[in-house]
Amino acid sequence: MHELSIARSLLGLVKENTPENARVRSVLVRVGPLQAIEPGAMQLAWQAVTDDSPLDGVQLSLTLVPWELHCRECDRRWTSEDWSDPCTCGSCRVDPIGGDELTLLSLDIEEIHSAVVDESQSVMRKPA
Amino acid sequence: MPEIRVVQNLLKHNDEIAAMNRQRLQDAGVFCIDLIGSPGCGKTSLLEATLRRLNQRMNIGVIAGDLATDRDAQRIQACGAKVVQINTGKGCHLDANQVRHAMDEIDLNDLDLLIIENVGNLICPVGFDLGQDAKVGMFSVCEGDDKAAKHPHLVCAADVLLLNKTDLMQHVRFHPVTFLEDVESLNPDVSVIELSVTEAKIERWLEWLLSRVLTGPDSCVSQTSALASEAKVTPDTC
């Protein structure tokens, strides 16, 4: 359940990168196969760490990157869901390349323009 | 809807603290390993055996991670090492910040080698950099010859892999060729060291460890220069 630690780290990064007067709608994260992230567990962890926080309800979009494989015999490169996928040349001498990506790519936000107006309206409503 | 590009590693803060840990270790001339394996594969037993063989010749500290109890710390302390136990509660792995605080409780300048025994788990600890010089993955034959294939994350991340309990190989139908082929396919650069801690067959592990300590931080060399040859002939007594 390392997803919970990763979700906590993600929460911190999202807060750091959110401008003032902006509301986050969704966050986009890319995950390589070497991170052993289970998407359902990650969504659950994200809900748990954002619950009752200003980020409650922010959607987590996970992009799971497949294995990138390289054949030692014919030098072919391809992607697969299975690291032990043999090459089309028949060779089983296949190496995984990279795969340890765990990146917050972007935040989708909406800007809040009404904050100042709302404040002035509430002041005006005060009794003289 | 506006988009803000970020492109930052999710474990950025962990990695920053890990880099600080690594710098502290380097400044103190300490070689550090992160030992990762499943519960019951023999991590603590290997540490006990390693300490028995080496602790008269080099200063070894241990940070032991477990969900609960200080039993590992007690076993390790009985072998003469400086040990700090981290109880993670429900946490399934150690992180760099926990290790940073544990390092505060050990005088690193007194050490040549720091061994971090991670929480027993083949999956969760792998992605968390602690500041170690080398990541050591540990399996045992009782777990089955498919464990490398089922845990590619650890195999790919490890600097060396240990296969323990080889004395039980004939009883558990473990096929070494299957295991080694999977390892070789996932990580052709990693070496596999076969061990039987129960039978005190850990010479290759000690040789690997000593060679890394000796070629690690410069300050270790003068203190441990005579170790490599002595390790092979030191009797296994506590």
Side-chain angles (χ1 to χ4, degrees):
Chain A
M1 195 56 192
H2 57 309
E3 288 87 353
L4 191 57
S5 302
I6 291 169
R8 282 199 197 99
S9 300
L10 175 60
L11 181 67
L13 275 191
V14 171
K15 285 179 178 173
E16 278 178 27
N17 286 283
T18 304
E20 282 187 47
N21 297 330
R23 181 180 294 139
V24 183
R25 286 290 188 84
S26 65
V27 300
L28 181 58
V29 171
R30 258 170 81 95
V31 182
L34 280 177
Q35 293 294 342
I37 298 280
E38 206 289 303
M42 187 66 201
Q43 293 289 357
L44 199 63
W46 178 244
Q47 282 175 26
V49 300
T50 55
D51 197 21
D52 291 332
S53 84
L55 293 175
D56 195 357
V58 172
Q59 186 192 347
L60 170 62
S61 298
L62 289 175
T63 302
L64 301 177
V65 182
W67 291 95
E68 187 180 351
L69 302 174
H70 171 247
C71 177
R72 281 185 232 171
E73 302 294 334
C74 72
D75 210 29
R76 174 178 166 250
R77 289 171 186 251
W78 73 103
T79 59
S80 172
E81 298 300 321
D82 181 2
W83 70 263
S84 60
D85 193 15
C87 183
T88 49
C89 75
S91 171
C92 290
R93 296 175 64 79
V94 171
D95 298 326
I97 307 164
D100 59 351
E101 188 179 359
L102 183 60
T103 309
L104 170 58
L105 287 180
S106 63
L107 312 176
D108 281 337
I109 61 163
E110 60 175 343
E111 292 178 24
I112 303 170
H113 299 292
S114 58
V116 176
V117 176
D118 288 344
E119 196 176 314
S120 63
Q121 284 173 345
S122 77
V123 170
M124 287 169 69
R125 279 192 221 107
K126 281 184 180 175
Chain B
M1 190 185 298
E3 181 193 75
I4 298 178
R5 294 286 293 168
V6 181
V7 193
Q8 286 180 339
N9 190 314
L10 261 62
L11 297 179
K12 173 173 159 267
H13 292 299
N14 183 80
D15 292 349
E16 286 168 356
I17 297 170
M20 288 162 49
N21 292 348
R22 189 168 282 115
Q23 188 62 53
R24 281 176 69 184
L25 291 161
Q26 190 180 333
D27 291 346
V30 180
F31 183 76
C32 179
I33 64 168
D34 177 13
L35 179 60
I36 298 172
S38 58
C41 72
K43 296 185 295 301
T44 310
S45 297
L46 176 64
L47 291 193
E48 288 176 302
T50 302
L51 291 164
R52 287 169 187 156
R53 298 283 287 269
L54 297 182
N55 71 356
Q56 297 299 312
R57 292 169 175 78
M58 67 196 304
N59 293 317
I60 305 173
V62 176
I63 295 173
D66 268 312
L67 268 65
T69 82
D70 64 350
R71 292 183 188 181
D72 280 4
Q74 289 180 31
R75 286 172 60 184
I76 292 161
Q77 199 160 29
C79 292
K82 302 166 186 70
V83 58
V84 179
Q85 177 83 53
I86 300 174
N87 282 140
T88 57
K90 293 175 183 171
C92 50
H93 59 90
L94 295 178
D95 63 37
N97 199 40
Q98 291 168 323
V99 170
R100 173 172 67 165
H101 289 304
M103 279 165 49
D104 289 340
E105 297 180 37
I106 303 175
D107 188 348
L108 294 178
N109 291 313
D110 281 350
L111 297 185
D112 302 303
L113 170 66
L114 178 64
I115 301 175
I116 302 169
E117 181 188 354
N118 219 311
V119 177
N121 185 333
L122 284 173
I123 304 163
C124 303
V126 177
F128 289 81
D129 186 8
L130 304 179
Q132 74 286 336
D133 294 295
K135 203 168 277 194
V136 180
M138 187 165 182
F139 296 95
S140 70
V141 299
C142 308
E143 298 161 44
D145 51 26
D146 57 359
K147 284 301 166 291
K150 288 183 174 179
H151 298 86
H153 328 90
L154 178 57
V155 175
C156 289
D159 295 288
V160 66
L161 289 173
L162 310 180
L163 179 63
N164 190 26
K165 308 188 187 182
T166 52
D167 49 302
L168 298 177
M169 194 148 350
Q170 60 184 315
H171 303 293
V172 294
R173 285 189 285 180
F174 181 96
H175 302 290
V177 173
T178 303
F179 180 82
L180 294 171
E181 280 181 352
D182 287 337
V183 169
E184 210 269 338
S185 181
L186 281 163
N187 187 350
D189 299 326
V190 75
S191 54
V192 178
I193 298 176
E194 297 179 19
L195 308 170
S196 169
V197 175
T198 302
E199 294 184 340
K201 293 177 180 170
I202 60 169
E203 280 72 17
R204 282 189 59 215
W205 158 244
L206 295 178
E207 286 170 17
W208 181 90
L209 192 56
L210 286 164
S211 71
R212 297 301 296 261
V213 172
L214 295 172
T215 57
D218 292 342
S219 55
C220 286
V221 174
S222 60
Q223 297 169 38
T224 56
S225 55
L227 292 179
S229 57
E230 291 178 18
K232 296 175 189 172
V233 293
T234 306
D236 182 15
T237 54
C238 190

